[in-house]
Amino acid sequence: MLMVIDAGNTNVVFAIHNGEKWVGSWRMSTIPNHTSDEYAATLLILLQARGIKTHQIDNIIIGTVVPPILYQLRLLCRQWFGVEPLIASSDLDWGFKILIDNPYEVGVDRLLNGLAAHTLFGGPLIVVDLGTATTFDVIDEKGNYCGGIISPGLTLSLESLHKAAARLPKIGITKPISVIGKETVNAMRSGIYWGYIGLIEGIIKRIGAEANCSYRVIGTGGLASLLAEGTDIFEKISLELTLEGLRLLANRNKTS
């Protein structure tokens, strides 16, 4: 079995693929000083609940944009599963070209999303990842990574608004009832929600105009489904895109 580990800024996702389908997926908070033993203490219980033995996992791949967490995740794989993990990086065989000035700068999560999206849906396309940051990644018809855009995520924007303005409360993200807010909380929700809808629609329009190309738009990330309620810009919402990218990358770079 293959275990994929997607370590992002907010969550670490562990998922198991048996060669035919995903048989388990678990999410934990990203804690940079978490030890390999602490991860194992939780993960082994979750695996046991699904009837998965550690010796059944013979292949592991890690994708992360949080360097401090990588050492402990490597130890987890070596000490508890007896597997040397493959680390997703721009040096691996991706099956496409990374057409930016410095390929080492791009986050592997964005490459993984591009790999999975093009494999599943074809191209050209734009992947919009609504996570800690909101990113737009442009993939051409051949699957090559052409670059993209990074903007603050919705949660970060709300946190900044709350911290910078003393009278604005801390609120959750929901779709507002109306665009015009009649009190502070609804006004904030409208600004964040419809502001990001405008951001997404506007940037995609500008990308298409600049490239003189019509793109399919794929949404992913924890807030993608919520934002999709307010726009028809997304052709597809695929919440497991990064996990699929890790699986595909591991298959392309098998060491044995």
Side-chain angles (χ1 to χ4, degrees), residues 29-40:
S29 296
T30 299
I31 304 174
N33 61 357
H34 229 42
T35 68
S36 60
D37 294 335
E38 287 173 313
Y39 281 115

Side-chain angles (χ1 to χ4, degrees), residues 187-222:
M188 291 173 66
R189 284 179 175 150
S190 186
I192 287 292
Y193 188 88
W194 295 115
Y196 270 83
I197 293 292
L199 171 75
I200 293 166
E201 293 177 340
I203 286 181
I204 288 171
K205 181 179 179 180
R206 287 179 179 274
I207 292 172
E210 183 173 281
N212 191 27
C213 179
S214 178
Y215 291 95
R216 309 174 75 179
V217 182
I218 310 300
T220 192

